[in-house]
């Protein structure tokens, strides 16, 4: 089975208490009830960057341009107990965009301080790679989930 192609984009801004990132409460589908990055599936004929731009528009009503995106690397998610959930995820960040985040049927967006991410409400893999991305780094990591599809069994950083 081929892993799903996913794009996520993390919008970053300077807030009153420091750097902030736009995340969202997932209201439907995969990850429902968790705080997640804004993004989703790459459609046929679409680049990863095009998918990120489209998904951010659909989920949070934010306008991005290709030149607004910074490549932050990739995370391969492996679910041995549910291989149909495997994902190859391209990560982007952006500090420029048009509009204000608006709730959609899928996501309730909210700003979070990068120094105190809500990791207790996120997928358990987030603290393995998200802080690096939010600090301006790039990641290339394989995260293998445990048989419960929640806990992280292992994470391995790879060289680019």
């Amino acid at each position: 089975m081929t892993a799903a192609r996913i794009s996520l984009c993390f919008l970053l801004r300077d807030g009153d208490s420091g750097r902030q990132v736009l995340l969202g409460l997932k209201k439907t589908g995969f990850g429902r009830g968790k705080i997640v990055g804004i993004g989703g599936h790459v459609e046929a004929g679409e680049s990863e960057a095009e998918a990120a731009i489209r998904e951010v528009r659909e989920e949070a009503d934010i306008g991005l341009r290709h030149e607004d995106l910074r490549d932050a690397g990739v995370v391969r998610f492996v679910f041995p107990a549910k291989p149909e959930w495997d994902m190859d995820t391209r990560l982007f960040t952006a500090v420029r965009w048009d509009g204000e985040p608006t709730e959609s049927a899928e996501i309730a967006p909210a700003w979070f301080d990068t120094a105190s991410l809500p990791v207790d409400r996120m997928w358990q893999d987030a603290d393995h790679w998200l802080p690096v991305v939010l600090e301006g780094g790039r990641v290339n990591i394989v995260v293998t989930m445990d048989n419960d599809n929640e806990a992280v069994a292992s994470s391995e950083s790879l060289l680019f």
Side-chain angles (χ1 to χ4, degrees), residues 5 16 39 56 86 97 101 105 122 126 130 137 145 149:
R5 291 178 56 220
D16 293 337
V56 169
D86 289 358
W97 59 84
M122 301 175 79
L130 187 53
M145 303 305 284
N149 297 316

Side-chain angles (χ1 to χ4, degrees), residues 8-11 22 38-40 51-64 69 97:
L8 297 177
C9 186
F10 300 93
L11 278 59
L22 185 68
I38 308 296
I53 291 167
R54 177 184 50 75
E55 288 283 350
V56 169
R57 170 65 74 195
E58 290 174 1
E59 293 185 354
D61 199 27
I62 296 290
L64 287 168
L69 299 177
W97 59 84

Side-chain angles (χ1 to χ4, degrees), residues 9-70:
C9 186
F10 300 93
L11 278 59
L12 298 166
R13 72 177 187 184
D14 292 323
D16 293 337
S17 58
R19 193 79 153 165
Q20 295 182 318
V21 59
L22 185 68
L23 301 171
L25 175 63
K26 187 80 160 80
K27 296 167 35 178
T28 63
F30 186 79
R32 182 174 180 240
K34 295 187 184 299
I35 302 291
V36 299
I38 308 296
H41 286 85
V42 178
E43 294 180 355
E46 190 175 50
S47 73
E48 292 159 327
E50 290 167 338
I53 291 167
R54 177 184 50 75
E55 288 283 350
V56 169
R57 170 65 74 195
E58 290 174 1
E59 293 185 354
D61 199 27
I62 296 290
L64 287 168
R65 297 172 307 207
H66 193 274
E67 58 267 24
D68 296 330
L69 299 177
R70 184 189 71 80

